[in-house]
Amino acid sequence: MKIAVINAGSSSLKFKLFDMQTKEVLKSFNIEHIGENGAKFNNHHEALESIDVDFSSLDAIGHRVVHGGEEFKESVLINGEVIDTIDKLSTLAPLHNPANLEGIIVAKKKAPNIPHIAVFDTAFHSTMPKEAYLYALDYKMYEQHKIRRYGFHGTSHAYVSKEAAKILDRNINELNLITLHLGNGASACAVKKGKSVDTSMGFTPLEGLVMGSRSGDIDPAIVLYMQRELGLSVDEVDKALNKESGLLGICGENDVRDILNSKDEKAKLALDMMIRRIQKYIGSYMALLGRVDAIVFSGGIGENSPYIREKVLESQMFNGIKSLVIKTNEELEIANECLRVLKK
Ligand code: ADP
């Protein structure tokens, strides 16, 4: 069986073709700069057309969709209604859902006779209890405006949790894990019996850990101060928090390899801040979970930096807890989800 996975961003299209018997990647394409000035491809349709794959040989296509809101608690077969709902959810993820949808539409045109399946970054976290996903705001903000914690990176947290169970040779239903997806974007997740019970990203992927260029947790009143006292516009605050903060904001770099090689004091400070935040999240998830069977490191930083892992684990509180390094594979998880949906 052959399943393709498409991850369409606003100016990119990632395509991976899997042989599901062997889980081998048969083909992989990473097209960037779509629609940009002087680019090779003007739109996602042209980009997909350029891919050298016989679409008539595919059994299904899985699509990464960032925001599933409260509507999608698991992966679904895409039909007209699903497309409309993903479109409506664009208000919650204006940078991502429209691009994801564009990928779905062009792929459905290219391969109209096979199942297309949507796999959501938020779905894994739909098992969080209400006390975890609600913000302590006026309840109407939730009821009327759907302001709540959704969580992201769900496909990665789900994948590494299952891999951890395999490595530990235990049934996932008896494991308590803390999974850390540490890439440019970063999040932590408390996973109880294979289900997300809390996660660090919230209403948007801005909350939580100190990231490459995102602030993670801050006092929300800073946003008001930036607007009232510093005269920043809404867009300027958005840019400040998402693009000019985090490691980049502290030391001027966001690539952890460069930061680790730097002698600059601020580079060390940026890492110390990132590490401290990760430790705080692990500690709080230990309190929630009671017993923790393993802490799982994944993502570019988690997988590749022994220094960061050691520093994070230096806290005495984590003594005796197993730590695992697991290479995440969101595309394979999406392909596996397609199989699961098709079997139903
Ligand atoms: P994205 O969120 O963009 O998918 P990745 O998961 O690829 O990000 O992670 C990117 C981060 O991983 C960068 O900060 C990069 O510096 C870091 N990284 C990659 N390799 C190493 C390494 N050998 N040591 C430390 N950090 C690394």
Side-chain angles (χ1 to χ4, degrees), residues 41-321:
F41 306 111
N42 291 308
N43 50 48
H44 285 80
H45 172 73
E46 289 181 15
L48 196 68
E49 282 296 329
S50 78
I51 285 175
D52 172 30
V53 165
D54 175 11
F55 279 75
S56 68
S57 73
L58 302 182
D59 294 289
I61 299 181
H63 296 266
R64 179 201 182 202
V65 180
V66 166
H67 218 306
E70 292 198 312
E71 282 78 354
F72 299 110
K73 298 191 186 324
E74 56 186 1
S75 309
V76 288
L77 200 60
I78 299 172
N79 57 24
E81 199 184 323
V82 169
I83 288 180
D84 289 346
T85 310
I86 293 172
D87 188 29
K88 279 200 200 102
L89 290 167
S90 290
T91 51
L92 293 175
L95 297 179
H96 293 106
N97 274 33
N100 302 153
L101 203 49
E102 182 64 21
I104 291 171
I105 288 163
V106 298
K108 273 184 90 78
K109 277 202 188 115
K110 181 87 183 156
N113 299 321
I114 57 167
H116 289 252
I117 290 130
V119 181
F120 302 90
D121 278 18
T122 48
F124 182 61
H125 303 297
S126 68
T127 48
M128 282 189 290
K130 208 162 193 173
E131 61 271 29
Y133 72 69
L134 275 189
Y135 291 106
L137 299 167
D138 184 333
Y139 201 80
K140 285 197 217 73
M141 289 292 169
Y142 167 60
E143 278 181 320
Q144 295 175 8
H145 304 292
K146 296 286 168 230
I147 296 177
R148 51 160 282 181
R149 172 182 312 285
Y150 291 99
F152 298 88
H153 287 150
T155 316
S156 178
H157 290 295
Y159 178 81
V160 299
S161 302
K162 285 183 256 183
E163 288 300 299
K166 283 188 210 160
I167 293 168
L168 296 169
D169 196 20
R170 299 264 303 273
N171 188 321
I172 196 158
N173 295 324
E174 55 187 41
L175 283 180
N176 286 350
L177 301 168
I178 296 173
T179 53
L180 304 166
H181 178 106
L182 309 176
N184 245 317
S187 65
C189 185
V191 186
K192 190 172 194 152
K193 300 179 179 176
K195 294 194 163 64
S196 168
V197 292
D198 214 330
T199 190
S200 59
M201 282 180 169
F203 180 59
T204 75
L206 179 57
E207 194 181 346
L209 303 179
V210 173
M211 306 179 220
S213 66
R214 290 178 225 154
S215 63
D217 297 337
I218 57 165
D219 180 343
I222 295 171
V223 172
L224 309 177
Y225 189 88
M226 283 174 157
Q227 296 183 70
R228 267 198 211 118
E229 301 297 324
L230 310 183
L232 267 58
S233 69
V234 172
D235 286 344
E236 284 166 342
V237 174
D238 186 341
K239 190 166 166 230
L241 299 182
N242 279 295
K243 302 248 162 79
E244 299 167 351
S245 296
L247 301 174
L248 182 73
I250 298 299
C251 73
E253 298 271 5
N254 65 350
D255 190 315
V256 168
R257 279 165 296 198
D258 295 338
I259 300 176
L260 284 168
N261 285 326
S262 168
K263 298 262 180 294
D264 185 18
E265 252 176 53
K266 282 192 178 145
K268 183 172 182 307
L269 174 64
L271 288 183
D272 288 348
M273 289 170 69
M274 181 182 79
I275 290 160
R276 185 186 177 91
R277 185 79 55 86
I278 297 169
Q279 290 176 323
K280 283 170 77 168
Y281 268 94
I282 296 175
S284 66
Y285 290 167
M286 283 172 69
L288 286 179
L289 292 169
R291 185 200 79 233
V292 175
D293 297 294
I295 297 170
V296 181
F297 289 87
S298 72
I301 302 165
E303 291 161 22
N304 298 306
S305 177
Y307 172 83
I308 304 278
R309 293 196 300 265
E310 274 163 29
K311 280 284 172 193
V312 165
L313 295 173
E314 253 175 21
S315 166
Q316 275 191 7
M317 194 174 163
F318 310 156
N319 280 354
I321 301 180

